[in-house]
Amino acid sequence: TRKTRRTTGRHGAAALGLACVMVVFTAAPGSAGSGGPPAAPDPYFPLAGNQGYDVDHYDLDLDFTPATDLLVARAAIKAEARRDLTRFTLDFSGPAVERVVVDGRSAAFSRDGQELTIVPAGKIRAGRDFTVTVWYRGTAAPIDDPALGVYGWINTDDGAVALNEPDGARSWYPVNDDVRDKATYTFRITAPAGLTALANGEPQGKPRTVGDRTTAVWSMRKPMSSYLSMVAIGRFTVTDGRVGRLPNITAYDPAGDGDDAALHRTTADAVRWGQERIGRYPFDSTGGIIDRIDVGYALETQARPVYDGEPDEATIVHEIAHQWYGNSVTPKTWADLWLNEGFATYAEWLWQEERGGPTAQSVFDQLWATPANDDFWHLKTADPGRDELFNYNAVYLRGAMALHALRTTIGDRDFFTLLKVWADKYRYDNADTRDLMNLARAISHDNVKPLFDAWLYTAAKPATPQG
Ligand code: ARG
Ligand code: ZN
């Protein structure tokens, strides 16, 4: 909910003191090295990702038993080598690996921290497609990071849910955990009959029950960053509807409060609003899942966000806005997360402005009144530091304020054009703050650099509202 995201913000604020001891830039060299030229890992998550290959598709076969939290899984990953590979790494901190096969031949493997190193029987030549299949079994556990909270694979009372942002995918499947390596996904989820399994995207036929276990298959056919992959297993009541021609599949845990009628309706309204204001909806379905988890945030998991309780309208608008801003147009590095959160927060402001609520200008004015010596201003919006990734003030609110400052500088007409062209030009792609600045300049013919410098690259209150 909105409140829970504020909680995330406060959580972030509590950790502010840690920012100055951040050492990630000098941390261990990137994992990717094995088998090729130096990689360019993300400065905030230097151990994640491997630039030696590019994943096309993840085929995840997950068999889960809530009574014991046992996960028995097989991940088949189809990738293309970008250079000759005699060995390569995947990010994986999940349960015990039993076997690895590369292109039909057994491969040697070893584990060290979050790296699963695989040595195929023969060299994989640059440009070739290959498939690596990993069998693993045991209990998966979430990541509990002092600054970023609880995320990854979370076992619940009646099932499990996986919420990966930022680097939690490795807690439940072997992954090239790089925001830039988007791939398509198939999820085949088996659980005790009577439970429901959901994931990103669209169901492939009806779930099939054999004996006392049911298998559901879901697929995400549009490119997806690993931090947006999701499965949810448990007791769920599902509402299967449509927004225009787009399937709208929502689900809620009947043991929680309320139901998902409001979620279903508001999700449809928010998608229609985005289609008008931003443009073509980027995925083949929409929806949402209300689960009883206590993580203190909602997550915009691709095509189907997860809410940790019954969300208010602003939160739904926020997570649906992320489908364009974040999921389809994705930052190149985590330092640019404001491109997700600033846009999604600004979408909330626009939504309420259009519905007779406070105007975006009045929200901006109220925040602008924050004194220059307040902590509110003390981080850089574009590059707040790894531990302050979800800082509500610096990334969400000042991100939205930066967009509002841009709007008042280039004018409504150019600004609303920019909102559309940004989503269209970089659809399914990655983009950074500089790309946004260049696009704003191209559309408006204004020199927006001073504004970007003051609002995004400076850890201080700008001299004037327009930078
Ligand atoms: N992207 C989410 C949102 O703004 C917040 C995710 C917070 N994640 C975390 N590990 N604390 O809706
Ligand atoms: Zn968000």
Side-chain angles (χ1 to χ4, degrees), residues 276-303:
E276 270 170 42
R277 291 288 171 281
I278 311 169
R280 192 176 108 199
Y281 178 81
F283 308 119
D284 300 331
S285 65
T286 187
I289 299 172
I290 300 174
D291 205 351
R292 280 176 304 148
I293 36 170
D294 216 11
V295 291
Y297 59 84
L299 191 63
E300 64 267 24
T301 45
Q302 191 150 306

PDB file of all heavy atoms in Angstrom, residues 276-303:
ATOM      1  N   GLU A 276      -3.979   5.498 -22.340  1.00  0.00           N
ATOM      2  CA  GLU A 276      -4.250   6.830 -22.872  1.00  0.00           C
ATOM      3  C   GLU A 276      -3.094   7.790 -22.666  1.00  0.00           C
ATOM      4  O   GLU A 276      -2.694   8.506 -23.571  1.00  0.00           O
ATOM      5  CB  GLU A 276      -5.484   7.428 -22.182  1.00  0.00           C
ATOM      6  CG  GLU A 276      -6.765   7.087 -22.902  1.00  0.00           C
ATOM      7  CD  GLU A 276      -7.969   7.476 -22.058  1.00  0.00           C
ATOM      8  OE1 GLU A 276      -7.929   8.578 -21.453  1.00  0.00           O
ATOM      9  OE2 GLU A 276      -8.915   6.670 -21.980  1.00  0.00           O
ATOM     10  N   ARG A 277      -2.555   7.826 -21.460  1.00  0.00           N
ATOM     11  CA  ARG A 277      -1.540   8.819 -21.132  1.00  0.00           C
ATOM     12  C   ARG A 277      -0.147   8.433 -21.626  1.00  0.00           C
ATOM     13  O   ARG A 277       0.656   9.284 -21.954  1.00  0.00           O
ATOM     14  CB  ARG A 277      -1.440   9.001 -19.611  1.00  0.00           C
ATOM     15  CG  ARG A 277      -2.608   9.661 -18.969  1.00  0.00           C
ATOM     16  CD  ARG A 277      -2.667  11.158 -19.313  1.00  0.00           C
ATOM     17  NE  ARG A 277      -3.928  11.711 -18.841  1.00  0.00           N
ATOM     18  CZ  ARG A 277      -5.082  11.551 -19.486  1.00  0.00           C
ATOM     19  NH1 ARG A 277      -5.120  10.889 -20.634  1.00  0.00           N
ATOM     20  NH2 ARG A 277      -6.190  12.053 -18.993  1.00  0.00           N
ATOM     21  N   ILE A 278       0.154   7.134 -21.616  1.00  0.00           N
ATOM     22  CA  ILE A 278       1.521   6.691 -21.901  1.00  0.00           C
ATOM     23  C   ILE A 278       1.613   5.974 -23.254  1.00  0.00           C
ATOM     24  O   ILE A 278       2.583   6.111 -23.973  1.00  0.00           O
ATOM     25  CB  ILE A 278       2.049   5.761 -20.780  1.00  0.00           C
ATOM     26  CG1 ILE A 278       1.804   6.366 -19.385  1.00  0.00           C
ATOM     27  CG2 ILE A 278       3.546   5.490 -20.986  1.00  0.00           C
ATOM     28  CD1 ILE A 278       2.055   5.411 -18.230  1.00  0.00           C
ATOM     29  N   GLY A 279       0.612   5.198 -23.585  1.00  0.00           N
ATOM     30  CA  GLY A 279       0.614   4.499 -24.876  1.00  0.00           C
ATOM     31  C   GLY A 279       0.418   3.009 -24.703  1.00  0.00           C
ATOM     32  O   GLY A 279       0.058   2.538 -23.626  1.00  0.00           O
ATOM     33  N   ARG A 280       0.685   2.298 -25.797  1.00  0.00           N
ATOM     34  CA  ARG A 280       0.432   0.859 -25.848  1.00  0.00           C
ATOM     35  C   ARG A 280       0.920   0.118 -24.594  1.00  0.00           C
ATOM     36  O   ARG A 280       2.077   0.252 -24.204  1.00  0.00           O
ATOM     37  CB  ARG A 280       1.161   0.316 -27.080  1.00  0.00           C
ATOM     38  CG  ARG A 280       0.780  -1.078 -27.446  1.00  0.00           C
ATOM     39  CD  ARG A 280       1.490  -1.443 -28.739  1.00  0.00           C
ATOM     40  NE  ARG A 280       2.568  -2.398 -28.492  1.00  0.00           N
ATOM     41  CZ  ARG A 280       3.566  -2.620 -29.326  1.00  0.00           C
ATOM     42  NH1 ARG A 280       3.660  -1.928 -30.456  1.00  0.00           N
ATOM     43  NH2 ARG A 280       4.477  -3.506 -29.033  1.00  0.00           N
ATOM     44  N   TYR A 281       0.040  -0.671 -24.003  1.00  0.00           N
ATOM     45  CA  TYR A 281       0.437  -1.486 -22.846  1.00  0.00           C
ATOM     46  C   TYR A 281       1.432  -2.535 -23.331  1.00  0.00           C
ATOM     47  O   TYR A 281       1.177  -3.227 -24.323  1.00  0.00           O
ATOM     48  CB  TYR A 281      -0.815  -2.138 -22.229  1.00  0.00           C
ATOM     49  CG  TYR A 281      -0.512  -3.032 -21.052  1.00  0.00           C
ATOM     50  CD1 TYR A 281      -0.304  -2.505 -19.782  1.00  0.00           C
ATOM     51  CD2 TYR A 281      -0.423  -4.419 -21.205  1.00  0.00           C
ATOM     52  CE1 TYR A 281      -0.015  -3.319 -18.701  1.00  0.00           C
ATOM     53  CE2 TYR A 281      -0.138  -5.242 -20.134  1.00  0.00           C
ATOM     54  CZ  TYR A 281       0.071  -4.689 -18.884  1.00  0.00           C
ATOM     55  OH  TYR A 281       0.360  -5.496 -17.815  1.00  0.00           O
ATOM     56  N   PRO A 282       2.574  -2.679 -22.641  1.00  0.00           N
ATOM     57  CA  PRO A 282       3.665  -3.477 -23.225  1.00  0.00           C
ATOM     58  C   PRO A 282       3.538  -5.001 -23.128  1.00  0.00           C
ATOM     59  O   PRO A 282       4.301  -5.703 -23.776  1.00  0.00           O
ATOM     60  CB  PRO A 282       4.901  -2.991 -22.469  1.00  0.00           C
ATOM     61  CG  PRO A 282       4.398  -2.347 -21.221  1.00  0.00           C
ATOM     62  CD  PRO A 282       3.011  -1.889 -21.470  1.00  0.00           C
ATOM     63  N   PHE A 283       2.631  -5.522 -22.315  1.00  0.00           N
ATOM     64  CA  PHE A 283       2.601  -6.975 -22.107  1.00  0.00           C
ATOM     65  C   PHE A 283       1.275  -7.581 -22.570  1.00  0.00           C
ATOM     66  O   PHE A 283       0.382  -6.865 -22.993  1.00  0.00           O
ATOM     67  CB  PHE A 283       2.932  -7.289 -20.643  1.00  0.00           C
ATOM     68  CG  PHE A 283       4.220  -6.620 -20.211  1.00  0.00           C
ATOM     69  CD1 PHE A 283       4.247  -5.688 -19.176  1.00  0.00           C
ATOM     70  CD2 PHE A 283       5.406  -6.853 -20.907  1.00  0.00           C
ATOM     71  CE1 PHE A 283       5.419  -5.032 -18.822  1.00  0.00           C
ATOM     72  CE2 PHE A 283       6.595  -6.195 -20.566  1.00  0.00           C
ATOM     73  CZ  PHE A 283       6.589  -5.289 -19.526  1.00  0.00           C
ATOM     74  N   ASP A 284       1.168  -8.906 -22.505  1.00  0.00           N
ATOM     75  CA  ASP A 284       0.006  -9.590 -23.076  1.00  0.00           C
ATOM     76  C   ASP A 284      -1.098  -9.858 -22.052  1.00  0.00           C
ATOM     77  O   ASP A 284      -2.115 -10.486 -22.386  1.00  0.00           O
ATOM     78  CB  ASP A 284       0.441 -10.914 -23.724  1.00  0.00           C
ATOM     79  CG  ASP A 284       1.449 -10.684 -24.841  1.00  0.00           C
ATOM     80  OD1 ASP A 284       1.398  -9.600 -25.460  1.00  0.00           O
ATOM     81  OD2 ASP A 284       2.300 -11.567 -25.088  1.00  0.00           O
ATOM     82  N   SER A 285      -0.883  -9.456 -20.808  1.00  0.00           N
ATOM     83  CA  SER A 285      -1.925  -9.576 -19.789  1.00  0.00           C
ATOM     84  C   SER A 285      -1.585  -8.622 -18.653  1.00  0.00           C
ATOM     85  O   SER A 285      -0.498  -8.035 -18.618  1.00  0.00           O
ATOM     86  CB  SER A 285      -2.004 -11.009 -19.246  1.00  0.00           C
ATOM     87  OG  SER A 285      -0.807 -11.356 -18.563  1.00  0.00           O
ATOM     88  N   THR A 286      -2.527  -8.455 -17.747  1.00  0.00           N
ATOM     89  CA  THR A 286      -2.282  -7.646 -16.550  1.00  0.00           C
ATOM     90  C   THR A 286      -2.882  -8.362 -15.350  1.00  0.00           C
ATOM     91  O   THR A 286      -3.344  -9.508 -15.467  1.00  0.00           O
ATOM     92  CB  THR A 286      -2.831  -6.213 -16.728  1.00  0.00           C
ATOM     93  OG1 THR A 286      -2.422  -5.429 -15.613  1.00  0.00           O
ATOM     94  CG2 THR A 286      -4.356  -6.206 -16.820  1.00  0.00           C
ATOM     95  N   GLY A 287      -2.876  -7.711 -14.207  1.00  0.00           N
ATOM     96  CA  GLY A 287      -3.470  -8.319 -13.018  1.00  0.00           C
ATOM     97  C   GLY A 287      -2.805  -7.860 -11.750  1.00  0.00           C
ATOM     98  O   GLY A 287      -2.240  -6.761 -11.683  1.00  0.00           O
ATOM     99  N   GLY A 288      -2.870  -8.703 -10.741  1.00  0.00           N
ATOM    100  CA  GLY A 288      -2.290  -8.370  -9.438  1.00  0.00           C
ATOM    101  C   GLY A 288      -2.563  -9.507  -8.475  1.00  0.00           C
ATOM    102  O   GLY A 288      -3.480 -10.307  -8.688  1.00  0.00           O
ATOM    103  N   ILE A 289      -1.750  -9.584  -7.440  1.00  0.00           N
ATOM    104  CA  ILE A 289      -1.898 -10.651  -6.447  1.00  0.00           C
ATOM    105  C   ILE A 289      -1.785 -10.028  -5.053  1.00  0.00           C
ATOM    106  O   ILE A 289      -0.820  -9.313  -4.768  1.00  0.00           O
ATOM    107  CB  ILE A 289      -0.799 -11.721  -6.619  1.00  0.00           C
ATOM    108  CG1 ILE A 289      -0.892 -12.363  -8.006  1.00  0.00           C
ATOM    109  CG2 ILE A 289      -0.891 -12.777  -5.509  1.00  0.00           C
ATOM    110  CD1 ILE A 289       0.273 -13.293  -8.337  1.00  0.00           C
ATOM    111  N   ILE A 290      -2.787 -10.293  -4.218  1.00  0.00           N
ATOM    112  CA  ILE A 290      -2.695  -9.865  -2.808  1.00  0.00           C
ATOM    113  C   ILE A 290      -2.331 -11.093  -1.984  1.00  0.00           C
ATOM    114  O   ILE A 290      -3.065 -12.076  -1.954  1.00  0.00           O
ATOM    115  CB  ILE A 290      -4.037  -9.289  -2.312  1.00  0.00           C
ATOM    116  CG1 ILE A 290      -4.442  -8.067  -3.147  1.00  0.00           C
ATOM    117  CG2 ILE A 290      -3.927  -8.916  -0.829  1.00  0.00           C
ATOM    118  CD1 ILE A 290      -5.829  -7.526  -2.819  1.00  0.00           C
ATOM    119  N   ASP A 291      -1.157 -11.052  -1.377  1.00  0.00           N
ATOM    120  CA  ASP A 291      -0.719 -12.193  -0.560  1.00  0.00           C
ATOM    121  C   ASP A 291      -0.461 -11.690   0.856  1.00  0.00           C
ATOM    122  O   ASP A 291      -0.197 -10.508   1.073  1.00  0.00           O
ATOM    123  CB  ASP A 291       0.541 -12.818  -1.170  1.00  0.00           C
ATOM    124  CG  ASP A 291       0.703 -14.289  -0.781  1.00  0.00           C
ATOM    125  OD1 ASP A 291      -0.053 -14.771   0.088  1.00  0.00           O
ATOM    126  OD2 ASP A 291       1.585 -14.955  -1.350  1.00  0.00           O
ATOM    127  N   ARG A 292      -0.542 -12.594   1.808  1.00  0.00           N
ATOM    128  CA  ARG A 292      -0.294 -12.196   3.202  1.00  0.00           C
ATOM    129  C   ARG A 292       1.187 -12.354   3.508  1.00  0.00           C
ATOM    130  O   ARG A 292       1.631 -13.403   3.960  1.00  0.00           O
ATOM    131  CB  ARG A 292      -1.102 -13.067   4.157  1.00  0.00           C
ATOM    132  CG  ARG A 292      -2.551 -12.636   4.270  1.00  0.00           C
ATOM    133  CD  ARG A 292      -3.288 -13.606   5.151  1.00  0.00           C
ATOM    134  NE  ARG A 292      -3.167 -14.964   4.656  1.00  0.00           N
ATOM    135  CZ  ARG A 292      -3.147 -16.046   5.428  1.00  0.00           C
ATOM    136  NH1 ARG A 292      -3.202 -15.947   6.725  1.00  0.00           N
ATOM    137  NH2 ARG A 292      -3.062 -17.250   4.875  1.00  0.00           N
ATOM    138  N   ILE A 293       1.920 -11.347   3.216  1.00  0.00           N
ATOM    139  CA  ILE A 293       3.340 -11.366   3.529  1.00  0.00           C
ATOM    140  C   ILE A 293       3.627 -10.067   4.241  1.00  0.00           C
ATOM    141  O   ILE A 293       2.878  -9.110   4.125  1.00  0.00           O
ATOM    142  CB  ILE A 293       4.219 -11.472   2.267  1.00  0.00           C
ATOM    143  CG1 ILE A 293       3.580 -10.682   1.122  1.00  0.00           C
ATOM    144  CG2 ILE A 293       4.469 -12.921   1.889  1.00  0.00           C
ATOM    145  CD1 ILE A 293       4.437 -10.512  -0.072  1.00  0.00           C
ATOM    146  N   ASP A 294       4.716 -10.037   4.932  1.00  0.00           N
ATOM    147  CA  ASP A 294       4.977  -8.904   5.794  1.00  0.00           C
ATOM    148  C   ASP A 294       6.235  -8.176   5.372  1.00  0.00           C
ATOM    149  O   ASP A 294       7.084  -7.877   6.194  1.00  0.00           O
ATOM    150  CB  ASP A 294       5.136  -9.448   7.223  1.00  0.00           C
ATOM    151  CG  ASP A 294       4.548  -8.467   8.208  1.00  0.00           C
ATOM    152  OD1 ASP A 294       3.874  -7.528   7.738  1.00  0.00           O
ATOM    153  OD2 ASP A 294       4.776  -8.625   9.416  1.00  0.00           O
ATOM    154  N   VAL A 295       6.367  -7.912   4.081  1.00  0.00           N
ATOM    155  CA  VAL A 295       7.626  -7.331   3.621  1.00  0.00           C
ATOM    156  C   VAL A 295       7.618  -5.801   3.646  1.00  0.00           C
ATOM    157  O   VAL A 295       8.660  -5.165   3.591  1.00  0.00           O
ATOM    158  CB  VAL A 295       7.989  -7.826   2.200  1.00  0.00           C
ATOM    159  CG1 VAL A 295       8.353  -9.297   2.228  1.00  0.00           C
ATOM    160  CG2 VAL A 295       6.858  -7.564   1.216  1.00  0.00           C
ATOM    161  N   GLY A 296       6.443  -5.204   3.722  1.00  0.00           N
ATOM    162  CA  GLY A 296       6.374  -3.745   3.798  1.00  0.00           C
ATOM    163  C   GLY A 296       6.469  -3.027   2.465  1.00  0.00           C
ATOM    164  O   GLY A 296       6.738  -1.831   2.411  1.00  0.00           O
ATOM    165  N   TYR A 297       6.248  -3.748   1.375  1.00  0.00           N
ATOM    166  CA  TYR A 297       6.240  -3.078   0.071  1.00  0.00           C
ATOM    167  C   TYR A 297       5.400  -3.894  -0.912  1.00  0.00           C
ATOM    168  O   TYR A 297       5.115  -5.059  -0.667  1.00  0.00           O
ATOM    169  CB  TYR A 297       7.661  -2.885  -0.481  1.00  0.00           C
ATOM    170  CG  TYR A 297       8.456  -4.169  -0.660  1.00  0.00           C
ATOM    171  CD1 TYR A 297       8.318  -4.949  -1.803  1.00  0.00           C
ATOM    172  CD2 TYR A 297       9.353  -4.602   0.318  1.00  0.00           C
ATOM    173  CE1 TYR A 297       9.040  -6.126  -1.972  1.00  0.00           C
ATOM    174  CE2 TYR A 297      10.083  -5.773   0.165  1.00  0.00           C
ATOM    175  CZ  TYR A 297       9.916  -6.525  -0.987  1.00  0.00           C
ATOM    176  OH  TYR A 297      10.622  -7.683  -1.138  1.00  0.00           O
ATOM    177  N   ALA A 298       5.015  -3.226  -1.977  1.00  0.00           N
ATOM    178  CA  ALA A 298       4.399  -3.929  -3.103  1.00  0.00           C
ATOM    179  C   ALA A 298       5.455  -3.996  -4.193  1.00  0.00           C
ATOM    180  O   ALA A 298       6.409  -3.229  -4.177  1.00  0.00           O
ATOM    181  CB  ALA A 298       3.176  -3.158  -3.591  1.00  0.00           C
ATOM    182  N   LEU A 299       5.319  -4.917  -5.124  1.00  0.00           N
ATOM    183  CA  LEU A 299       6.322  -5.027  -6.190  1.00  0.00           C
ATOM    184  C   LEU A 299       5.642  -5.179  -7.551  1.00  0.00           C
ATOM    185  O   LEU A 299       4.698  -5.941  -7.705  1.00  0.00           O
ATOM    186  CB  LEU A 299       7.265  -6.207  -5.925  1.00  0.00           C
ATOM    187  CG  LEU A 299       8.505  -6.255  -6.819  1.00  0.00           C
ATOM    188  CD1 LEU A 299       9.397  -5.037  -6.598  1.00  0.00           C
ATOM    189  CD2 LEU A 299       9.306  -7.525  -6.564  1.00  0.00           C
ATOM    190  N   GLU A 300       6.213  -4.462  -8.538  1.00  0.00           N
ATOM    191  CA  GLU A 300       5.613  -4.351  -9.870  1.00  0.00           C
ATOM    192  C   GLU A 300       5.933  -5.532 -10.773  1.00  0.00           C
ATOM    193  O   GLU A 300       6.115  -5.359 -11.980  1.00  0.00           O
ATOM    194  CB  GLU A 300       6.096  -3.050 -10.515  1.00  0.00           C
ATOM    195  CG  GLU A 300       7.616  -2.965 -10.784  1.00  0.00           C
ATOM    196  CD  GLU A 300       8.439  -2.325  -9.671  1.00  0.00           C
ATOM    197  OE1 GLU A 300       7.976  -2.335  -8.515  1.00  0.00           O
ATOM    198  OE2 GLU A 300       9.538  -1.832  -9.973  1.00  0.00           O
ATOM    199  N   THR A 301       6.041  -6.735 -10.225  1.00  0.00           N
ATOM    200  CA  THR A 301       6.398  -7.926 -10.991  1.00  0.00           C
ATOM    201  C   THR A 301       5.654  -7.955 -12.337  1.00  0.00           C
ATOM    202  O   THR A 301       4.470  -7.635 -12.397  1.00  0.00           O
ATOM    203  CB  THR A 301       6.121  -9.166 -10.153  1.00  0.00           C
ATOM    204  OG1 THR A 301       4.852  -9.049  -9.527  1.00  0.00           O
ATOM    205  CG2 THR A 301       7.168  -9.282  -9.042  1.00  0.00           C
ATOM    206  N   GLN A 302       6.375  -8.347 -13.392  1.00  0.00           N
ATOM    207  CA  GLN A 302       5.928  -8.056 -14.757  1.00  0.00           C
ATOM    208  C   GLN A 302       4.556  -8.639 -15.096  1.00  0.00           C
ATOM    209  O   GLN A 302       4.320  -9.830 -14.967  1.00  0.00           O
ATOM    210  CB  GLN A 302       6.978  -8.544 -15.762  1.00  0.00           C
ATOM    211  CG  GLN A 302       6.739  -8.044 -17.181  1.00  0.00           C
ATOM    212  CD  GLN A 302       8.023  -7.887 -17.949  1.00  0.00           C
ATOM    213  OE1 GLN A 302       8.928  -7.217 -17.486  1.00  0.00           O
ATOM    214  NE2 GLN A 302       8.121  -8.499 -19.105  1.00  0.00           N
ATOM    215  N   ALA A 303       3.702  -7.753 -15.536  1.00  0.00           N
ATOM    216  CA  ALA A 303       2.310  -8.022 -15.914  1.00  0.00           C
ATOM    217  C   ALA A 303       1.418  -8.311 -14.703  1.00  0.00           C
ATOM    218  O   ALA A 303       0.192  -8.232 -14.814  1.00  0.00           O
ATOM    219  CB  ALA A 303       2.184  -9.168 -16.928  1.00  0.00           C
TER     220      ALA A 303
END
